[in-house]
Amino acid sequence: MEQLINNSRRRFLKASSMLGLGAAFGQGMIGQAFANTQPIAIDKGQIGQYSIRPFHVNIPEVELTELRRRIRAARWPERELVGDASQGVQLNTMRKVAQYWAEEYDWRKVEARLNTLPQFITEIDGLDIHFIHVRSKHENALPLIVTHGWPGSIIEQLKIIDPLTNPTAHGGSASDAFDVVIPSLPGYGFSAKPSTTGWDISHIVRAWTTLMKRLGYTRFVAAGGDVGAQVVDEFGVQAPPELLGIHSNMPGTVPADVARALTNHEPPPSGLSAEERHAWDQLDFFYKKGLGYAIEMSNRPQTLYSLMDSPVGLAAWMIDHDARSEELITRAFDGKTEGLTRDDILDNISLYWLTNTAVSAARSYWDYSATAKKGFFDVKGATVPVAVSAFPDEIYTAPRSWAEKAYPKLIHYNKLPKGGHFAAWEQPAFYSEELRAGFKSLRNKA
């Protein structure tokens, strides 16, 4: 059995190491919940005629009532047999999550927040793509597209919208302003679910380029973490002429010899610096202890029916992304709100549940891994200017030495004092400052 598991794991890593980090809406009640207003027709010359439809969220109350009913009806296992989280998300944590979700949490708060933002749907390559688009009041704002990952969503980026579009209210200057575009990945949130395979990372980059051009932007920058980090690395490889540069908080910098040793459970290469050895230790732990969800979603995503049937099961699956993030989330349900609150976490999980996208999001890993030529953390070959922010509680903290070798046009590198995998969500002030600093030198080229 161990050999079978190792073989499966190696096939997965060799094919992609898409670690996740990594059809239209359902019919009936949920489909009706996302009704759009009349389309706005726009003509952009060579782009041609297309429509961008305003979007409004209104989940029927019956769906929220059913969600609470299912949470209260959860069947619980016995508690774990150890005193820590080494066997998975602990029973005590999940009971706290369920109690708050069923009895106190209010989805309508985040729904109202979303509906204060300009949201739209537009069809690209036959698929409806949902996105938030907030233009700054300041002139010469730099257009920015930010991509989320799994188990994230547009919820991850809500806290950075005002600091980026309205920097003068957050310690910045008018010259720091961005126009912000935040799309939902295909199969996630309010974007449609692909009815065919083929929506891999390369396809997403082409679609995002189309989206930015459709919005009238001739020059833009791109940022992302988790799957979004894979997207920006591919942006750097494709290097569309409209792209000025990219920012990543989980960059692909791991040298080939290090990646090979990690994959094969070999000792680390000799000569690693202290900083590089720390990154090795972080990656070694994740490769050995943190890959389960990614292997399953890359190989057998359709098998995850339970995520569509049990909200508690979905919540546990999403919380168990990486060890440090799980600790931060557990801390929130223990009454400590550094970084994330209970509502932050349940806003995101509820979005997956209420849009019925648990399996379609998981299937995206199958698409990503089917065509990936490099592992998620591997060097991809970006040829554009790159900014890197290294957070201490990320799956791995990219060393400067690796970043300099991976990105020949590295224009910014900074190690932050705190923050983890969901950087924009956990530490929005640091993340916003990093985008301002990272892209500052590119503004005169926009």
Side-chain angles (χ1 to χ4, degrees), residues 116-250:
T116 65
L117 298 169
Q119 297 179 81
F120 305 92
I121 296 281
T122 193
E123 182 182 314
I124 300 176
D125 295 343
L127 195 72
D128 275 351
I129 298 297
H130 165 265
F131 63 98
I132 296 168
H133 182 203
V134 182
R135 293 184 183 273
S136 175
K137 66 182 179 181
H138 298 294
E139 294 183 2
N140 302 316
L142 181 62
L144 164 71
I145 184 166
V146 187
T147 307
H148 66 82
W150 185 94
S153 67
I154 56 169
I155 299 296
E156 282 184 70
Q157 281 83 37
L158 295 184
K159 297 177 188 177
I160 64 172
I161 293 174
D162 199 61
L164 294 177
T165 59
N166 187 23
T168 55
H170 298 270
S173 65
S175 61
D176 293 321
F178 292 88
D179 284 352
V180 176
V181 179
I182 305 170
S184 296
L185 286 165
Y188 289 70
F190 302 118
S191 281
K193 303 173 184 179
S195 58
T196 62
T197 61
W199 276 91
D200 60 7
I201 297 297
S202 295
H203 194 167
I204 291 168
V205 168
R206 294 192 299 272
W208 280 193
T209 302
T210 296
L211 174 60
M212 294 301 279
K213 292 166 65 176
R214 187 169 293 182
L215 294 173
Y217 295 123
T218 58
R219 303 291 271 170
F220 66 89
V221 292
D226 195 272
V227 172
Q230 188 80 351
V231 169
V232 296
D233 264 341
E234 178 62 19
F235 256 123
V237 173
Q238 291 189 18
E242 298 82 9
L243 181 70
L244 292 169
I246 61 174
H247 173 275
S248 179
N249 54 280
M250 191 175 155

Side-chain angles (χ1 to χ4, degrees), residues 391-413:
F391 287 86
D393 290 322
E394 180 55 273
I395 290 175
Y396 90 109
T397 306
R400 178 187 290 272
S401 58
W402 289 0
E404 290 173 344
K405 293 176 183 177
Y407 300 117
K409 295 184 179 180
L410 186 69
I411 57 173
H412 173 85
Y413 175 93

